[in-house]
Amino acid sequence: MDLATRYQGLYEAALFTAECAEDAYPLGALDAQLRSWIRRELAPRAHSLAYCDNRLDVATAVEGLAAIAPGYAELRRDLFGDLHHLGRPVPIWRAVGAHLAVLAPLQVWRQPPAYALSLRDAGTAPGDVQSWDFTVFPRSGDPRHPGTVHPVMLFPDTDPTSRPGPVPRTAQVTGELEDQRVHYEQLTYGFQALGRQVHFAALSDPDRGQHPPPPPAT
């Protein structure tokens, strides 16, 4: 059996591993997000062997492909536990990849919303505006509800050439999302899970200017 055939077998095994994990650990409303993500991760690696020039390149390509599916299966197992298992710690935001994070809340006593935060457009330079999608799924266990997508824009705070490392950014969201304070709070946790340094302007004004009126003069 030649190398190309063996590599194709590895790719098919990775996809089969992902499919088995999806069958074993259904995740309701979050399934569509995760199924799309793993296939986007696997697809570019299907032909990685064509770009290998030596044995080291081959080993790197094989190791990268072989690691994806087991990690995906473990993630789904953890998220399934978040959704259904009592006695565990409170579910947390989990980073699926560098540009996707999800929250799968426990749905034993009630059905709180699930969340997904995904990058739509990273821009072409460090100082570009980034576009993200923050999706709120009203019934986390029901895949028939596609959820509500709230656009989030991240604007660079400073000149990206002024300091090394990631560019700090400020989030701009719709007034509708700012008014839904529970969802807005979860958005901040989503960016934290991805390790993003983001400033949320509305957190500086929890009442959004709607302070109680002063007491009447006596």
Side-chain angles (χ1 to χ4, degrees), residues 171 173 175 177-181 184-185 188 199-212:
V173 302
L177 180 56
E178 281 194 10
D179 287 337
Q180 300 180 60
R181 305 302 282 182
Y184 187 79
E185 179 183 3
T188 71
H199 172 67
F200 299 90
L203 294 182
S204 302
D205 183 14
D207 299 318
R208 299 197 65 217
Q210 301 175 9
H211 304 295

Side-chain angles (χ1 to χ4, degrees), residues 30 82 90-95 100-106 110 112-118 132-137 148 150 152 171 173 177-196 198 200 202-203:
L30 293 174
D82 289 345
V90 175
I92 59 172
W93 276 85
R94 297 185 184 275
L100 173 63
V102 297
L103 173 65
L106 183 68
R110 56 190 179 91
Y115 300 92
L117 177 62
S118 58
W132 292 74
D133 288 332
F134 178 60
T135 308
V136 180
F137 301 96
T148 301
H150 298 275
V152 180
V173 302
L177 180 56
E178 281 194 10
D179 287 337
Q180 300 180 60
R181 305 302 282 182
V182 172
H183 299 334
Y184 187 79
E185 179 183 3
Q186 290 297 337
L187 173 64
T188 71
Y189 299 148
F191 278 116
Q192 288 178 19
L194 291 172
R196 302 277 174 161
V198 180
F200 299 90
L203 294 182

Side-chain angles (χ1 to χ4, degrees), residues 2-99:
D2 63 22
L3 183 60
T5 301
R6 297 177 69 184
Y7 187 83
Q8 180 62 27
L10 176 63
Y11 174 80
E12 293 174 357
L15 184 58
F16 181 58
T17 300
E19 291 170 347
C20 288
E22 290 163 354
D23 289 341
Y25 307 111
L27 296 174
L30 293 174
D31 256 331
Q33 293 266 351
L34 294 170
R35 287 172 182 265
S36 295
W37 177 84
I38 187 62
R39 284 154 181 80
R40 289 196 306 269
E41 289 292 306
L42 289 174
R45 292 170 169 81
H47 307 288
S48 294
L49 205 61
Y51 303 98
C52 294
D53 296 325
N54 51 54
R55 292 180 178 179
L56 179 59
D57 290 347
V58 171
T60 300
V62 169
E63 290 167 8
L65 176 57
I68 295 175
Y72 178 68
E74 181 179 1
L75 172 71
R76 290 193 68 98
R77 185 164 56 248
D78 289 340
L79 288 168
F80 186 83
D82 289 345
L83 282 171
H84 300 293
H85 295 165
L86 291 171
R88 290 166 57 108
V90 175
I92 59 172
W93 276 85
R94 297 185 184 275
V96 180
H99 303 133

